Amino acid sequence: MAERVRLLDVAKAAGVSQGTASNAFGKPDLVRKEVRERILEVARELGYRGPHVMARMLRTGKAGALGVVFPDNLEYAFSDPVAIELLRGVGRECARQAVNMMIISAENPEQAITAINNAAVDAFLVHCYSDDNDIISAIQRRNQPLVCIDTDIAGAAGTVVLDDFAGAEMAAQHLIDCGARRFAILSLQANKAENFGPMNAKRRGAVSHRVVRERLGGYHAALKKAGIAIEDIVHIECENMSSHSAEMVETMLRDHPKIDGILAMSDVIAIGALDGARASGRKIPDDIKVIGFDGIAEGERTDPPLSSIRQDSVEKGRLAAEMALGETQGDNNRVLETSLLVRGSTR
Amino acid sequence: MAERVRLLDVAKAAGVSQGTASNAFGKPDLVRKEVRERILEVARELGYRGPHVMARMLRTGKAGALGVVFPDNLEYAFSDPVAIELLRGVGRECARQAVNMMIISAENPEQAITAINNAAVDAFLVHCYSDDNDIISAIQRRNQPLVCIDTDIAGAAGTVVLDDFAGAEMAAQHLIDCGARRFAILSLQANKAENFGPMNAKRRGAVSHRVVRERLGGYHAALKKAGIAIEDIVHIECENMSSHSAEMVETMLRDHPKIDGILAMSDVIAIGALDGARASGRKIPDDIKVIGFDGIAEGERTDPPLSSIRQDSVEKGRLAAEMALGETQGDNNRVLETSLLVRGSTR
DNA sequence: TTGAAAGCGCTACCAG
DNA sequence: CTGGTAGCGCTTTCAA
C-alpha cells in the first residue's frame, strides 16, 4: 500500500497553508472558488482520499455515530422481531440525522464492557429489561447521553417506555369479554437469573424487570376486577422463544386442563402457545383464547391469526434515537400508548 | 461537565511517566503489579474514565469496527428477512472477534457517501445486487478491505456468493417433477432502474444484477431441458415485497390463466404469490405449484407451507465478516451451496 | 481570505 | 520494567 497522502502534502503542492486546504474540504465557503478548485485538483492528482476520519474525530470530538446496546442478550438484536422493528426505527432516525449506527456486539458481558469502551460514538441507546447491570454501569461511566428503552435507568438522559400496565389490562379485559374465566399468564423473564417454569407467589413478588412487573400488574388488575382471584391464575415464566413456550403450554395444559384463556407477554411467546394448545388438542379460540403482546407482523399468518396488544416499536426506536442524538429538548420521559388488536385467536 | 481528566494527569499524580500509565491500562503485563495498582487507584480517585477512544484510534490506526453497507436500499437492512439473517451472522462473527458493527445509514445515495467517509471502521462489508454504483466507488476510495456479498465487485478483497444457477435449476426441476408445465417466473429487480411488471426478451437480455442473471439462467436451463420454450414462460419483475407480488400474480393469472408453476426468486415474493394465487381462486399445490428461494422461517407458517431453495444466510454473513476482518488468509471467493426444501406448496 | 502554529489524547519507540 | 518524547492528521484559533 502506498504511503498515505496527508492534507499537508496537498496544501504544499497547491501552494496554500494547511488551514486553507482543510477549509477547502470542510468549509468550502471560506475559500475563494479559484483556490478551492486548485486544491481539489491537486488532491485528486496526488491521490488524497479526503480528511482522515479518526484524526478529525479526535480534533472535533464528534464521532458521528450512535451506539446501540442490548445488554440482556447481545445476539437478541437480530433474533427478536420486536428488536428488529426497534432497530428499523433507530436506523431511520440515524439516517435522518446523517449519523451512523454502531451495534455493540460481544459474546459475554465482560467483552461487552470492552466493546463499549472501544466504541467511538456520541451517545448510547440501550434496550433492556433490567437496570442493574455491569454493562449499563460501563455505559454510564462514559458520561455520554444515554437513552433507555423499556426500562428506567437512574441518571439516563431520557427514557422511552410503553404504558405496559394499561396494555396488559386491556388484554386481560378483552379475554374476559370473550368469555374466558380460567387464566394462565405466560410471563417474560422476570429477573436477571433465568428461572423458567411455574412462578409461585414469592417469585411473582420479586420481579425486577419493569416490563414484567407492569404487565403483570395490568393483567391482575383486570382479572381482579372481574372477580378472579390471583391465586387461581397459573403463572409461568417463559423464554422468549416460540418453541419454548409451546412446550411450556403443553405441560401446563396437562396440569391445568381447564385453562381457557392465555395471556402472553409477547407475541413470540403467544405464537408458541398457539402451537402448544393445538398440539394438546384444543381448538382456538373455541376451547382457549390466546392474546399476545406487541402486534408483530408474524401474528397475521398464524393459525388462527393472533390477537394482541399493538405497540409501535419502530416509532419507539426512532423516538429514542431522536432523544439520544438531540439537544435534550424538553420532555425526556416518553410513555407510548398501545392498542387492542383483535384477530382470530380471541373470536 | 467537569474538565476531562487525561492520562497525563493520572501519570503525574501517580508519579510515573505517561508511557507507564498508558501501559497500566493497555498492557498490564508490562507494569509491575504494585505500580499498576497505584496508577489505577489514582485514576479512580481523579475520575479518569480510561483511554480516550478517538485518540487511541488515531494513534493505533485501528477502529475496532466493521462497516456494513446495503447500497441498493439503505433501509432494506431491517426490512428483509434475508438481510436480517445476514446481519445476525455478521454480528456473530463481530462478537467473536471483539469488533463492533457499524451500520452505514443514510436517506439517499449522496448522503450515503458522506456516511461512508465519516465511518471509523477497519473494513467494509457490502451486500448488493448491482456493482456499478457511486456508493461502491466511495467505499473503494477508502482503500480498506472490502468484501461483497451476492455480487462481484472488481478489486474486492473477497466475495461471498451463492451458487444461484444451481439453486434455481433445482427449483425449476422440482416443479417439473411435480408435474407443472406452464411456468411463470417472478424475478427480483433486474437492473438499477426500477421497472416492475412483465419482462420482454429485450429486458431479459439486459439484466445487470448478478443474482437475477444467474437464477434466470438456472430456471431456463432446467425448463429448456424439459422441452419448454423460453418464449412460453411468463416473466415478471417484482419488488421484493409480498403485497406487491400478490398483486402482480393476480393480474398475471388473469392474463395467463393456465399457469401451473410459479418460480419466485425470493420467499418474500413467493409468499405474496401464494396470497395472489389463493385470491384468484387457485388451490395450491393442486392448481398451481409455487417454489420460492431463500428458505426463510416465515415460509413454515404460510398456507400452505412454502417450498423453497434453502440458503444459509447467517453463515453467509458470518463468513463475509470473517473474510473482511481476517488477514485475507487463502481463498477469497466463496460460493455457497443451496438445497431443496420441499413443503406443502409443491406437493 | 489566507497563513502559522497549537494542540486534541494517546501509544510506541528508544534509551536507560 | 520505566521514563521521555515524537507524532498520528486534522481543525481551529489568532494574526496578518
Side-chain angles (χ1 to χ4, degrees), chain B residues 179-199:
Chain B
R181 282 300 171 267
R182 296 168 179 278
F183 288 89
I185 293 175
L186 303 182
S187 171
L188 286 163
Q189 189 177 328
N191 293 296
K192 203 167 180 172
E194 297 191 355
N195 205 347
F196 301 123
M199 296 173 90

Side-chain angles (χ1 to χ4, degrees), chain A residues 124-136:
Chain A
F124 282 95
L125 219 62
V126 174
H127 172 92
C128 62
Y129 296 122
S130 56
D131 59 352
D132 65 326
N133 196 305
D134 291 352
I135 297 181
I136 291 173

Side-chain angles (χ1 to χ4, degrees), chain A residues 75 78 88 95 101 103 111, chain B residues 78 88 92 95 101 111:
Chain A
E75 187 158 337
F78 301 113
R88 181 148 72 239
M101 187 173 162
I103 312 279
Q111 196 189 308
Chain B
F78 301 113
R88 181 149 71 237
R92 195 173 288 168
M101 186 174 164
Q111 196 190 307

Side-chain angles (χ1 to χ4, degrees), chain A residues 7 22 48 59:
Chain A
L7 187 57
S22 172
Y48 180 62
R59 182 61 235 235

Side-chain angles (χ1 to χ4, degrees), chain A residues 298, chain B residues 81 85 88 267 271 294-302 343:
Chain A
E298 284 89 326
Chain B
E85 288 190 19
R88 181 149 71 237
D267 281 356
I271 288 173
D294 294 331
I296 62 178
E298 284 88 327
E300 293 169 24
R301 293 189 177 276
T302 51
R343 289 200 281 233

